[in-house]
Amino acid sequence: MATTIGLIRHGVTEWNNLGKAQGISDIPLNEEGIKQATALANRFTSEKWDIIFSSNLTRARQTAEIIRQFLGIASVFTDDRIREINCGLIEGTTEEERISRWGINWREQNLGMEDFKMVAKRGLSFLEELSVGHAGKRILVVSHGALIGLSLQHLMPQLFQKTYIDNTSLTILTHTKNDWTCQLYNCTKHLS
């Protein structure tokens, strides 16, 4: 019995457009992000999905809520494990600001960022739990770029050495008998 998980990055925010690190800062979708989420929700109307999970951050919850309304699913379940990486001191800053504040090697300093392995670990624990607790279901998960990317890199390292996740992109994973496969990666056809 296959479990299908559709991983979705939230719609765009003002901070995305400004190139600011968002992390766990609770930034809402902007107008464009709402349009993106609506386009994605429209894409799903010809498909059957059973459950929607979302990060507890506003931008993900808003995206999930728009999809939920289109699909007529009763509610959105939130889970802290699929929230974005905590970016520590760099939250709210652009690359330019980080370089001027901490220098070109800011990534090598301890600026309070959550460890990448820990982000992947909580993403994977969530996915494993979903695949067991909701076996055979079709589940949408609205999360964040770093969380999705790092989870994919650790779940299927041979397939994903590097990842880039676009706003409202869809990545589809299938779990069958302890085996994960990826049917679709970072698809944004609904935006064209």
Side-chain angles (χ1 to χ4, degrees):
M1 185 166 35
T3 306
T4 303
I5 298 174
L7 298 172
I8 298 165
R9 183 183 175 196
H10 61 81
V12 78
T13 68
E14 219 38 64
W15 278 23
N16 285 142
N17 288 343
L18 295 169
K20 290 184 177 194
Q22 285 181 121
I24 58 172
S25 298
D26 209 6
I27 311 303
L29 296 179
N30 63 13
E31 211 170 301
E32 182 190 355
I34 291 168
K35 283 184 182 141
Q36 289 177 330
T38 305
L40 179 58
N42 265 317
R43 172 183 180 168
F44 287 139
T45 54
S46 62
E47 300 173 16
K48 168 91 174 84
W49 293 92
D50 302 305
I51 309 166
I52 302 178
F53 281 87
S54 172
S55 147
N56 62 345
L57 296 173
T58 302
R59 58 195 183 267
R61 284 202 337 263
Q62 284 177 299
T63 304
E65 193 52 43
I66 290 168
I67 295 166
R68 182 201 70 74
Q69 288 170 358
F70 272 72
L71 293 178
I73 292 175
S75 54
V76 171
F77 298 96
T78 56
D79 195 303
D80 293 4
R81 288 175 294 176
I82 53 173
R83 72 192 309 192
E84 186 56 301
I85 184 171
N86 182 335
C87 289
L89 297 176
I90 74 163
E91 291 202 8
T93 66
T94 62
E95 181 71 12
E96 202 173 76
E97 290 168 331
R98 292 189 282 278
I99 290 168
S100 83
R101 216 175 280 181
W102 298 294
I104 195 89
N105 297 328
W106 65 265
R107 282 182 181 83
E108 292 153 31
Q109 298 175 44
N110 181 1
L111 300 174
M113 275 187 84
E114 187 178 359
D115 180 72
F116 285 2
K117 280 192 181 78
M118 294 311 291
V119 176
K121 191 176 174 183
R122 59 186 169 83
L124 292 184
S125 93
F126 174 79
L127 289 173
E128 291 294 341
E129 194 177 289
L130 267 196
S131 67
V132 172
H134 299 283
K137 298 284 189 202
R138 290 176 53 83
I139 308 153
L140 291 173
V141 176
V142 183
S143 185
H144 306 268
L147 183 285
I148 294 170
L150 291 166
S151 297
L152 289 173
Q153 288 170 31
H154 282 76
L155 189 64
M156 300 177 193
Q158 68 293 351
L159 196 59
F160 299 109
Q161 269 115 40
K162 282 189 167 151
T163 47
Y164 182 80
I165 310 294
D166 287 302
N167 288 100
T168 69
S169 70
L170 175 65
T171 297
I172 296 181
L173 303 178
T174 305
H175 183 262
T176 318
K177 294 182 186 144
N178 294 328
D179 190 37
W180 289 94
T181 53
C182 182
Q183 267 65 52
L184 189 67
Y185 169 67
N186 196 39
C187 180
T188 55
K189 72 177 186 185
H190 50 277
L191 298 180
S192 51

